[in-house]
Amino acid sequence: MATADEQEIRRELGEERDKLAAAVDELRDELGEATNVKAKLKSNLPLAAGAAFALGFVKAGGIGATARLLARRSREGNEQAALGRYRLLRR
């Protein structure tokens, strides 16, 4: 026969097991919501596409290339005539 102390310990272990099971279920629910990337991406698709384009542009050096293009155009004179590789510029 089990003594009163053994019954108390078993009761406490049962309570702890129930609390642990509830905590695991709650954690699964929270992780399920946090890892549902597809639903979050679907609701913000235009923003995500714009951010991906901007990141790709910057990574590919687009800012530097654009700045060089604009700076070069401002330094060049006005082209009056062109024939092959020869150009007549007014400075």
Side-chain angles (χ1 to χ4, degrees), residues 55-67:
L55 182 63
F57 181 78
V58 170
K59 188 172 181 180
I63 292 175
T66 304

Side-chain angles (χ1 to χ4, degrees), residues 37-59:
V37 175
K38 186 176 180 180
K40 289 181 182 182
L41 184 61
K42 197 175 213 179
S43 65
N44 295 321
L45 189 59
L47 179 63
F53 175 77
L55 182 63
F57 181 78
V58 170
K59 188 172 181 180

Side-chain angles (χ1 to χ4, degrees), residues 1-89:
M1 252 195 194
T3 64
D5 290 339
E6 289 175 355
Q7 290 177 351
E8 180 68 23
I9 291 172
R10 286 187 179 149
R11 185 185 58 78
E12 288 177 4
L13 284 175
E15 290 175 1
E16 290 296 323
R17 190 180 305 121
D18 292 340
K19 287 180 186 177
L20 182 60
V24 168
D25 288 340
E26 184 179 331
L27 184 60
R28 274 194 194 128
D29 290 342
E30 288 177 11
L31 284 176
E33 293 171 7
T35 58
N36 194 359
V37 175
K38 186 176 180 180
K40 289 181 182 182
L41 184 61
K42 197 175 213 179
S43 65
N44 295 321
L45 189 59
L47 179 63
F53 175 77
L55 182 63
F57 181 78
V58 170
K59 188 172 181 180
I63 292 175
T66 304
R68 282 192 300 276
L69 177 68
L70 294 175
R72 187 185 78 212
R73 286 188 179 174
S74 66
R75 286 190 308 245
E76 293 177 353
N78 295 330
E79 186 175 308
Q80 297 295 313
L83 181 62
R85 66 180 189 163
Y86 302 104
R87 305 206 185 300
L88 179 62
L89 300 175

